[in-house]
Amino acid sequence: KYTRFSVFYYCINSLGQITSIYNRSEKVAVPSGKENKTAIISYDHRIMPLESTSSTGTYYCGVKWNDIQKMGKGVFVLARGTGYIDTSYEWEILITLTALLAVLSIIATALLLWKRK
């Protein structure tokens, strides 16, 4: 009963739209002496290349037997357009703050020396 099944892959985008990616049917021969035992079979599927930023979404795989369907937990994929620039300003802020503190330190030292005279 469980030697014939379908493996399928699909994506759900941020709008909740489902896009079917790939389906295939499998028939697995059960070796003698392995009847009524749990078996694990791995299947890999690559989605290449991502067409555009609209490829962003959660990708799922599933298996369907006659009356049973099992789903994976999904993997979120964020597709960025070409030429994306990270907008992190951490280094610029650090350099600016360091320069400002150095200038203020020099001015304070100069004022202290000027007041002593």
Side-chain angles (χ1 to χ4, degrees), residues 19-104:
T19 303
S20 178
I21 298 169
Y22 183 73
N23 295 308
R24 74 174 180 228
S25 295
E26 294 286 336
K27 181 176 181 190
V28 178
V30 179
S32 180
K34 296 289 185 177
E35 298 88 357
N36 297 321
K37 302 224 181 202
T38 300
I40 297 174
I41 302 171
S42 296
Y43 291 93
D44 292 332
H45 181 73
R46 292 187 181 187
I47 303 166
M48 301 184 348
L50 293 176
E51 295 170 3
S52 66
T53 55
S54 65
S55 298
T56 294
T58 305
Y59 289 76
Y60 296 90
C61 67
V63 178
K64 187 174 185 178
W65 290 273
N66 295 334
D67 54 346
I68 300 172
Q69 184 170 324
K70 295 289 184 182
M71 306 303 301
K73 294 179 181 179
V75 174
F76 179 76
V77 175
L78 174 61
R80 294 180 173 172
T82 56
Y84 176 81
I85 298 172
D86 191 8
T87 56
S88 174
Y89 297 107
E90 292 174 5
W91 284 107
E92 290 86 350
I93 292 170
L94 182 62
I95 291 169
T96 303
L97 186 59
T98 303
L100 180 64
L101 289 174
V103 168
L104 289 174

